[in-house]
Amino acid sequence: MKKIKYLLCFVFLGLHSINAFSQDKIFLKSGENIDCKILEINIDNLKYIKSSNIDGPTYTVLKKEIHMVLYENGESEIFDNVNTN
């Protein structure tokens, strides 16, 4: 019985941690970090929805305000040298 309890706790915690880390992160030059799901990257902006409200509105941030994006698969993209007119 103890083994089953430990197994269930382990499975629950494992699934919970996967959900917590399966998101994109936007690091702004202002120091703010946004947990989100990136929807679209355009020439001068990026569109996303917040992880805390997946059914909520779509937000837009200018690329020139972004330092870096960390995608859920672990890849990153740096936007420091973006030149928008």
Side-chain angles (χ1 to χ4, degrees):
M1 189 64 174
K2 269 187 165 181
K3 289 182 181 181
I4 292 174
K5 285 182 183 179
Y6 286 125
L7 180 62
L8 289 175
C9 286
F10 179 74
V11 170
F12 175 75
L13 292 174
L15 292 175
H16 183 67
S17 66
I18 289 171
N19 187 29
F21 292 108
S22 63
Q23 60 195 9
D24 301 321
K25 276 193 158 223
I26 301 172
F27 298 89
L28 299 178
K29 291 178 181 176
S30 67
E32 181 183 358
N33 300 332
I34 303 169
D35 294 328
C36 64
K37 177 65 181 165
I38 296 174
L39 302 175
E40 186 177 324
I41 299 177
N42 297 315
I43 292 172
D44 60 349
N45 63 36
L46 185 144
K47 295 182 180 184
Y48 66 93
I49 52 177
K50 291 184 178 180
S51 297
S52 60
N53 189 8
I54 294 297
D55 296 325
T58 300
Y59 295 90
T60 303
V61 64
L62 295 174
K63 281 185 171 179
K64 65 182 180 181
E65 297 175 0
I66 300 171
H67 166 64
M68 182 181 77
V69 171
L70 180 62
Y71 299 102
E72 66 179 313
N73 65 0
E75 291 184 29
S76 63
E77 190 170 356
I78 297 176
F79 290 92
D80 278 343
N81 296 324
V82 174
N83 185 11
T84 57
N85 296 329

